Amino acid sequence: PVEGAPHAPIQRSFGKGRVAYIPKIEAEMPAPPAQMNYVIRNALWKLPKNYRQLADAVRWAAGGQLTASAEAPLWVTMEVAEQESSRTRLAHLVNFKYQEALKDIPVQMRIPEAMRLREVILKSPDEPSPLPLHFSMSGDMASVRVPRLKVYDLILFRMETK
C-alpha cells in the first residue's frame, strides 16, 4: 500500500521499537444499531475484511518474534497469558466451529532467555485428565502438537530458571 493513501497502514521504527498503525478496521458485517441493551449474535462474529492487514502489522511490529503461534484454521483463536508466580505460560485455544473437532495442531511458544521449559501439559473439558505433551526446542521456541481440539484446550508451558 502507498503511504498516505486513505486506509493505508503506516509502519515506523524508532530505536529498537516498531509501531504499525491501521487507520480503520473494516467490519465484515454492519454493527447492530446502538441501544441500551442488545445482544451481538454469533452471526456477527466475523473477522474484519482487512484481518490479513492487521495480522501482518502485528508480525511486522514484533519483528517476526511473536510470543506464540498456532497453525490452525481462521475459526480457531488463541490467547496467551502468563503466571509469573508459577513460571507458566498459558495458551488458551478456542474452536468456534466446535462441531468440527481438529487434530494435530502445531503450536509454538517462545521461552524467555533466563528460563528452561520443564514440561507441557494439555487440559481440556473433553479429556478425562491432564495430558502431558511431547515438546521440542529450536533456539528459544518450543513446539508441540495438540492432538485434538473440540471446543477448548488449555496448554500449560511450565518453566524453571536455568
Side-chain angles (χ1 to χ4, degrees), residues 58-131:
V58 169
R59 275 189 216 91
W60 182 86
Q65 299 291 310
L66 296 175
T67 299
S69 64
E71 294 175 34
L74 291 174
W75 57 84
V76 173
T77 190
M78 179 170 67
E79 183 213 11
V80 176
E82 190 153 352
Q83 293 177 339
E84 289 183 25
S85 62
S86 67
R87 296 182 175 125
T88 303
R89 281 203 171 155
L90 310 164
H92 301 267
L93 294 172
V94 179
N95 179 5
F96 282 93
K97 278 192 180 178
Y98 55 86
Q99 307 89 339
E100 299 175 29
L102 299 168
K103 293 181 180 178
D104 203 31
I105 301 168
V107 174
Q108 295 79 38
M109 179 68 71
R110 190 167 307 285
I111 304 303
E113 189 176 319
M115 304 301 279
R116 181 178 74 79
L117 187 57
R118 185 170 39 94
E119 66 180 348
V120 180
I121 305 292
L122 176 104
K123 293 185 177 185
S124 174
D126 301 312
E127 296 293 335
S129 60
L131 177 66

